[in-house]
């Protein structure tokens, strides 16, 4: 299975174009890294690929087919700040099960404790919330993961745990990963190839 972005361009206003003619491809057996300066438009590209932004020019396809706007979106974005993606009025069990109900084995793999399920998002740390974000994104219908700086705010031990669990699960289930990070050392370790954002964004 192949995810392709073809000639993606986007502007928030007429004065400044954020993305211009970006093209990239990702197979379901690959981990591709994307590195670039802050404010360069990487997160905007992530939102386009994952269906959060629709008013762009160009095309995002899977195996040559456009992705339907209705139903479950097969490209899931994991954000840097998980607390911003969760309803503060929901207990964590509802936050998780809004997407799907992962097995106990999978929850254990990601270090998600049962006692956390009865808590509010504000009662958990960033690392604990990020485990929920990742599990939510791993719905069985997911074909590709866009990981946008998902471990930047975490301590070194938690980073290793989360990346190891995510990579192992995605490889076992043929889910491709686009890993966006400022950490070139991390990308060198986990990725099959690394793209430099300023080289694919033709501004």
């Amino acid at each position: 299975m192949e995810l392709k972005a073809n000639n993606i361009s986007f502007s928030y206003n007429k004065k400044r174009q954020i993305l211009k003619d970006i093209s990239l491809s990702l197979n379901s057996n690959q981990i591709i890294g994307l590195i670039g300066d802050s404010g360069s438009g990487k997160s905007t590209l992530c939102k386009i690929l994952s269906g959060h932004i629709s008013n762009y020019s160009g095309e995002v396809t899977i195996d040559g087919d456009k992705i339907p706007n209705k139903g479950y979106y097969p490209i899931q974005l994991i954000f840097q700040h998980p607390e911003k993606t969760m309803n503060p009025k929901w207990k964590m069990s509802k936050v998780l099960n809004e997407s799907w109900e992962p097995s106990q084995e999978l929850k254990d793999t990601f270090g998600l404790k049962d006692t956390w399920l009865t808590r509010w998002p504000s009662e958990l740390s960033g690392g604990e919330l990020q485990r929920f974000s990742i599990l939510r994104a791993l719905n069985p219908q997911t074909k590709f993961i866009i990981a946008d700086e998902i471990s930047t705010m975490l301590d070194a031990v938690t980073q290793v745990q989360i990346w190891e669990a995510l990579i192992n699960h995605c490889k076992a289930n043929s889910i491709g990963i686009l890993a966006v990070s400022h950490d070139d050392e991390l990308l060198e370790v986990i990725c099959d190839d690394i793209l430099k954002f300023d080289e694919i964004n033709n501004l």
Side-chain angles (χ1 to χ4, degrees), residues 43 46-47 50 52 75-79 133 137 144-148:
S43 291
C46 291
K47 291 176 182 178
S50 56
H52 291 272
I75 307 165
Q76 287 291 301
L77 173 59
I78 306 171
F79 291 85
S133 287
F144 294 92
I145 289 288
I146 311 296
D148 186 11

Side-chain angles (χ1 to χ4, degrees), residues 25-26 34 36 124-125 165 179-180:
S25 63
L26 171 65
L34 183 62
L124 298 180
S125 71
V180 181

Side-chain angles (χ1 to χ4, degrees), residues 47-84:
K47 291 176 182 178
I48 288 172
L49 293 174
S50 56
H52 291 272
I53 293 176
S54 58
N55 58 328
Y56 61 91
S57 63
E59 191 175 56
V60 179
T61 61
I62 292 180
D63 287 345
D65 296 324
K66 289 186 177 181
I67 304 164
N69 292 326
K70 296 181 179 180
Y72 187 84
Y73 202 82
I75 307 165
Q76 287 291 301
L77 173 59
I78 306 171
F79 291 85
Q80 178 179 352
H81 297 286
E83 69 278 2
K84 296 180 180 180

Side-chain angles (χ1 to χ4, degrees), residues 159-173:
Q159 283 191 39
V160 172
Q161 292 173 342
I162 283 181
W163 273 112
E164 183 177 27
L166 177 61
I167 289 170
N168 288 342
H169 179 83
C170 288
K171 285 187 174 181
N173 292 275

Side-chain angles (χ1 to χ4, degrees), residues 28-42:
S28 54
N29 62 349
Q30 284 183 308
I31 303 173
I32 299 296
L34 183 62
I35 193 166
D37 295 335
S38 296
S40 60
K42 300 188 307 299

Side-chain angles (χ1 to χ4, degrees), residues 21-181:
D21 295 332
I22 285 186
S23 295
L24 59 83
S25 63
L26 171 65
N27 290 322
S28 54
N29 62 349
Q30 284 183 308
I31 303 173
I32 299 296
L34 183 62
I35 193 166
D37 295 335
S38 296
S40 60
K42 300 188 307 299
S43 291
T44 299
L45 176 62
C46 291
K47 291 176 182 178
I48 288 172
L49 293 174
S50 56
H52 291 272
I53 293 176
S54 58
N55 58 328
Y56 61 91
S57 63
E59 191 175 56
V60 179
T61 61
I62 292 180
D63 287 345
D65 296 324
K66 289 186 177 181
I67 304 164
N69 292 326
K70 296 181 179 180
Y72 187 84
Y73 202 82
I75 307 165
Q76 287 291 301
L77 173 59
I78 306 171
F79 291 85
Q80 178 179 352
H81 297 286
E83 69 278 2
K84 296 180 180 180
T85 70
M86 298 176 182
N87 190 330
K89 297 181 180 180
W90 285 5
K91 292 285 184 72
M92 295 309 301
S93 58
K94 187 174 181 179
V95 169
L96 178 60
N97 295 336
E98 180 192 20
S99 174
W100 70 303
E101 295 186 25
S103 67
Q104 187 62 48
E105 180 182 2
L106 193 57
K107 287 188 284 186
D108 291 342
T109 297
F110 280 89
L112 195 153
K113 298 178 181 178
D114 288 338
T115 54
W116 297 347
L117 293 168
T118 57
R119 297 184 184 178
W120 305 102
S122 61
E123 296 178 310
L124 298 180
S125 71
E128 291 162 354
L129 291 174
Q130 196 63 296
R131 296 170 196 270
F132 278 92
S133 287
I134 293 170
L135 272 175
R136 285 199 308 177
L138 294 178
N139 182 300
Q141 298 178 73
T142 298
K143 305 303 180 187
F144 294 92
I145 289 288
I146 311 296
D148 186 11
E149 300 280 6
I150 66 169
S151 59
T152 301
M153 307 297 290
L154 309 178
D155 63 80
V157 173
T158 304
Q159 283 191 39
V160 172
Q161 292 173 342
I162 283 181
W163 273 112
E164 183 177 27
L166 177 61
I167 289 170
N168 288 342
H169 179 83
C170 288
K171 285 187 174 181
N173 292 275
S174 297
I175 299 172
I177 301 175
L178 180 66
V180 181
S181 179

